Amino acid sequence: MSGTTPTNPGQAPMARPDTDPFTSLRRGMDRLFDQVLGGSSWGAPWGNLPAAFTATGVLSPKVDVAETPAGLEVTAELPGIEAKDVSIELHEGVLTLRAERSAERKEEDKDKRWHIVERQSGTYLRRFALPFDADPDKVEARFDKGVLHIVIPRPAEQKPQARRIEIKG
C-alpha cells in the first residue's frame, strides 16, 4: 500500500500534503518565523508564554479550515470575545480574521497579589490565502459561544460556450 493517498470511504481523496495550499502556506510561514526567530519554534524565545502568543504581541486563534464541494468552511476559537469585537475582511483573495480582547484584571487593586496570569488580552489575527476568487458579498459568518464559523462559497463556474470554428482553405 505504499505510495497511495489515504481516502475516506464515500469521499473524494484527501489532498496530498505537498499540494494542499493551506499546508504549503503554513509550512512557508513556519520557515519564515524560524528564520526570523533564530531557528526556534514559535514562542520559545519568550519563555513560558503560550504557543498562541507571537513575538509581536498578536494572539493566533486556533482554526479549522475544511474544503467542501461548495467552498470553504473556517471555524475559529475566540474564547472570551464578543461578536462586536470581531472583524472579518476578504480582500484580493486573502481572508483576514481580527478580534480584540481586553484585560479584565485591574492593576491598581493594591490588595491583590497575582500569582498566575494565563488569561491573555490583545489582538487575535489570522490570515488565509484562498485557493479561489471568492465573492465577499456571498461570504457568511456567525458567532456562537466564542466560536466563529465562516462559509466561503466557491464562485459559480463559468461554462465555456460552444462556438463553431470555420475551416479555411
Side-chain angles (χ1 to χ4, degrees):
M1 290 241 169
S2 73
T4 61
T5 302
T7 60
N8 296 328
Q11 293 184 355
M14 294 171 30
R16 290 185 15 208
D18 57 341
T19 61
D20 178 13
F22 294 107
T23 302
S24 175
L25 176 64
R26 182 61 186 232
R27 283 186 184 141
M29 293 302 294
D30 286 345
R31 279 193 303 271
L32 175 66
F33 276 99
D34 284 348
Q35 290 172 356
V36 171
L37 300 176
S40 59
S41 62
W42 292 27
W46 300 282
N48 293 327
L49 289 176
F53 193 77
T54 66
T56 60
V58 176
L59 302 164
S60 181
K62 302 285 186 197
V63 298
D64 293 334
V65 179
E67 189 168 5
T68 68
L72 292 175
E73 296 175 0
V74 179
T75 304
E77 290 182 355
L78 297 168
I81 303 288
E82 294 183 32
K84 67 179 180 61
D85 297 324
V86 177
S87 72
I88 304 165
E89 181 179 300
L90 179 58
H91 181 67
E92 295 183 0
V94 177
L95 178 72
T96 301
L97 310 178
R98 184 184 322 262
E100 295 291 328
R101 179 175 178 169
S102 58
E104 295 178 17
R105 67 184 179 130
K106 307 270 188 223
E107 294 292 335
E108 60 269 3
D109 189 348
K110 304 283 187 233
D111 295 331
K112 282 189 183 175
R113 278 190 13 209
W114 295 96
H115 291 276
I116 298 174
V117 178
E118 294 179 339
R119 298 175 63 212
Q120 302 170 350
S121 64
T123 300
Y124 284 93
L125 179 67
R126 286 296 290 268
R127 289 191 170 112
F128 303 95
L130 301 181
F132 53 80
D133 290 326
D135 182 353
D137 294 330
K138 296 187 178 179
V139 175
E140 295 179 4
R142 63 184 170 82
F143 192 74
D144 184 38
K145 298 178 183 170
V147 180
L148 176 65
H149 302 274
I150 305 170
V151 176
I152 307 164
R154 288 185 189 282
E157 295 290 326
Q158 294 181 349
K159 296 181 182 177
Q161 297 181 357
R163 183 178 140 216
R164 186 172 181 104
I165 308 295
E166 182 181 331
I167 300 173
K168 297 180 182 179

